Amino acid sequence: MLGSTQASIDQTAGIFLRGKIPVSNTIEVFSKLGYVSTEIGVTDTVGAATTDYDFSQEGIAFGVGITWLLRGNTGVRFDYTRYNYNVEDVVEVNADGLSIALYHRF
């Protein structure tokens, strides 16, 4: 019988440096570079046997985005981030993230 593997990202935290360039009074583009730590859960199932693994990976992340100030101090941020992990110096894992955020500056 064939088995199956399921993986989930349980938590990701990171710290980034971000550089921005204003395009207009309401739009700016940015790039970012940072270091992230991710907790991953994996479940392997073969027949009736199930094995769970939990591990952490750390790596470099980088990305680009655009910020659009809508009105006053409220705006929208669109962001793409690429995460690079080297799993026990054997396998390189890359993950891509997209985000849309509504923000308010105080």
Side-chain angles (χ1 to χ4, degrees):
M1 174 177 224
L2 295 177
S4 67
T5 300
Q6 294 182 346
S8 64
I9 295 175
D10 298 329
Q11 177 179 327
T12 298
I15 186 165
F16 290 88
L17 292 175
R18 191 172 83 138
K20 60 184 179 177
I21 299 172
V23 177
S24 71
N25 288 339
T26 59
I27 296 175
E28 63 186 26
V29 294
F30 65 87
S31 63
K32 62 182 185 174
L33 176 65
Y35 188 77
V36 294
S37 176
T38 301
E39 293 181 10
I40 301 168
V42 178
T43 301
D44 285 331
T45 304
V46 178
T50 299
T51 306
D52 292 322
Y53 305 94
D54 291 313
F55 60 95
S56 296
Q57 288 297 306
E58 297 177 348
I60 300 296
F62 56 92
V64 294
I66 186 167
T67 300
W68 178 26
L69 188 60
L70 299 174
R71 178 181 295 167
N73 290 333
T74 302
V76 177
R77 180 179 302 122
F78 301 93
D79 183 297
Y80 163 79
T81 305
R82 175 74 170 211
Y83 302 91
N84 291 319
Y85 302 103
N86 194 352
V87 180
E88 298 189 15
D89 296 325
V90 177
V91 177
E92 183 176 317
V93 177
N94 297 312
D96 298 311
L98 294 173
S99 67
I100 300 173
L102 180 65
Y103 71 90
H104 184 80
R105 295 180 186 169
F106 294 96

